[in-house]
Amino acid sequence: MIENTLKTEFIAGTNLQGDMVSADWRFLLPRLKLDRVLCLGLPGSASLAVLAATADEIIVSHTSQSGLDQLQAECVSRELSNFQFLRVDSFENLSDETTTFPLVLLLDSGLTAEFLQDEKVQLSVSSLLADDGILKYEVSGFGQARSKKRKAGMTRVYWLTPLTGEMRTALPTGCGKISKFFFDNVLYGQSWKKRLLSRVGSMVSSAGMVDSVMPRKLCFLHNSTERADNSCPPHFLRKMARTAGLNFDGQLFGLSTRGKFNANKVIYYLFEPGASTPQAIVKMTRSPEFNHRLENEYKTLDRLAKGRFVAPETFPQPLF
């Protein structure tokens, strides 16, 4: 470990807060890299760099020309060149038979409300999805997270923390044991108020009521005839595991993206069905310049496992 650290080039400022700690819902998508993304509404300033790295082309559509102009100026100042901007008079008639997207982000709260209630808006927005494409939106409050006109199996739903701002935890609905584990071990705050909330969350999870009381929901609507399974790990993660000879297909998971630094890791907790503790934990970097840190961790754990310096149950066993 010391040898690897000494060989690592020190670059000042790489551990400061960065622009890759937003839009962490991307780690729930089937793929991390897309060709095109459509934003219906104005994305937040903090997420621009993430969107630019996620897709080759991002089209931002909105009814406000001044809002689009301001966003375009910011993209120019930050040298983000893969954004395009399109003003529309209304979101109701957006369909274009020649243009569909693998990912559509529903970012306008008013449009989201209309989408959940108005069949015409649903058809218009859904027509923008490519085959197997995904529509992403958020809802707040205790109403329906799913469209009234769509089959429930087409939508994956997660409850999020915190209640506002950037997502830091995403838990699949219908998984009370995973929620309880997170409240007991991951969402356990340092202040007495947060610890009290964690205990309440743990009890609510045990009672099977956590999905009802957590007001912030993240939804992914799939343009697919197959039933969506929100508890299954993302496709890209299962694919990586298969290349290492592992099978995560039957696992359940919870996601933690806590921290405000680019260097903070994204962590997947993987559970066997019915289990109350994770079978495996997968750490991932937000940005590739920090890959060497995880490589060093893996090499150290691998040497511990092979060298038998300490008892196997006293440190994490490296998987891949």
Side-chain angles (χ1 to χ4, degrees):
M1 188 68 175
I2 295 177
E3 180 181 354
N4 290 330
T5 302
L6 293 175
K7 288 181 179 179
T8 301
E9 180 184 1
F10 173 75
I11 303 175
T14 55
N15 204 36
L16 299 178
Q17 291 188 12
D19 53 10
M20 299 301 289
V21 291
S22 64
D24 285 334
W25 47 260
R26 68 190 186 275
F27 294 105
L28 297 167
L29 294 174
R31 292 181 291 155
L32 291 178
K33 185 65 176 179
L34 303 167
D35 54 356
R36 308 177 76 220
V37 171
L38 173 64
C39 299
L40 299 180
L42 301 175
S45 174
S47 66
L48 293 179
V50 172
L51 291 175
T54 300
D56 298 325
E57 180 184 18
I58 304 100
I59 298 176
V60 180
S61 178
H62 200 253
T63 57
S64 169
Q65 186 62 54
S66 61
L68 290 171
D69 290 342
Q70 183 177 356
L71 193 64
Q72 184 174 12
E74 184 167 0
C75 288
V76 171
S77 67
R78 296 170 67 172
E79 299 182 347
L80 303 176
S81 59
N82 52 345
F83 281 82
Q84 297 184 30
F85 302 89
L86 175 66
R87 197 195 76 80
V88 294
D89 294 325
S90 171
F91 285 120
E92 289 187 3
N93 299 300
L94 294 167
S95 61
D96 184 344
E97 295 181 358
T98 63
T99 305
T100 57
F101 299 83
L103 178 63
V104 176
L105 306 179
L106 198 50
L107 302 175
D108 184 275
S109 59
L111 178 59
T112 300
E114 291 181 19
F115 173 81
L116 293 173
Q117 300 295 329
D118 192 324
E119 186 174 6
K120 182 179 179 181
V121 177
Q122 292 168 24
L123 292 173
S124 178
V125 172
S126 299
S127 67
L128 297 167
L129 291 174
D131 291 340
D132 205 32
I134 293 176
L135 173 70
K136 176 261 179 187
Y137 61 94
E138 277 195 31
V139 293
S140 297
F142 302 100
Q144 286 290 328
R146 297 182 175 93
S147 158
K148 290 184 177 181
K149 302 294 182 180
R150 285 205 165 255
K151 296 179 180 179
M154 298 289 287
T155 307
R156 290 187 290 136
V157 183
Y158 305 85
W159 61 260
L160 308 181
T161 64
L163 301 184
T164 60
E166 291 293 343
M167 175 196 110
R168 290 293 173 252
T169 310
L171 280 297
T173 57
C175 298
K177 288 186 177 180
I178 295 179
S179 298
K180 177 174 171 52
F181 172 84
F182 265 69
F183 279 117
D184 290 341
N185 300 277
V186 181
L187 295 172
Y188 193 78
Q190 295 182 346
S191 69
W192 70 268
K193 290 183 179 180
K194 290 184 177 181
R195 290 195 294 271
L196 177 60
L197 289 174
S198 294
R199 286 196 289 270
V200 172
S202 178
M203 291 186 291
V204 170
S205 297
S206 297
M209 300 172 58
V210 65
D211 296 342
S212 301
V213 302
M214 298 302 290
R216 185 182 182 188
K217 301 292 197 308
L218 169 66
C219 307
F220 291 125
L221 188 151
H222 285 244
N223 183 27
S224 172
T225 57
E226 297 183 5
R227 184 175 181 83
D229 187 356
N230 63 315
S231 59
C232 188
H235 175 74
F236 76 87
L237 183 60
R238 288 180 282 138
K239 184 178 180 180
M240 286 192 299
R242 282 194 293 270
T243 62
L246 302 172
N247 186 355
F248 290 164
D249 288 347
Q251 301 277 329
L252 311 179
F253 85 104
L255 176 65
S256 173
T257 62
R258 302 175 73 184
K260 300 179 180 180
F261 296 82
N262 279 352
N264 292 135
K265 309 302 185 295
V266 174
I267 303 177
Y268 297 88
Y269 295 81
L270 305 181
F271 297 75
E272 289 284 356
S276 57
T277 57
Q279 180 194 38
I281 295 175
V282 178
K283 297 174 68 175
M284 182 180 299
T285 60
R286 283 186 168 96
S287 190
E289 66 261 30
F290 298 107
N291 285 350
H292 68 278
R293 295 189 180 186
L294 286 184
E295 291 171 0
N296 288 344
E297 280 189 47
Y298 177 84
K299 291 176 182 177
T300 300
L301 292 174
D302 188 52
R303 290 186 65 182
L304 281 175
K306 292 178 178 178
R308 304 192 181 205
F309 301 109
V310 293
E313 65 273 10
T314 60
F315 66 94
Q317 302 297 305
L319 292 177
F320 69 99

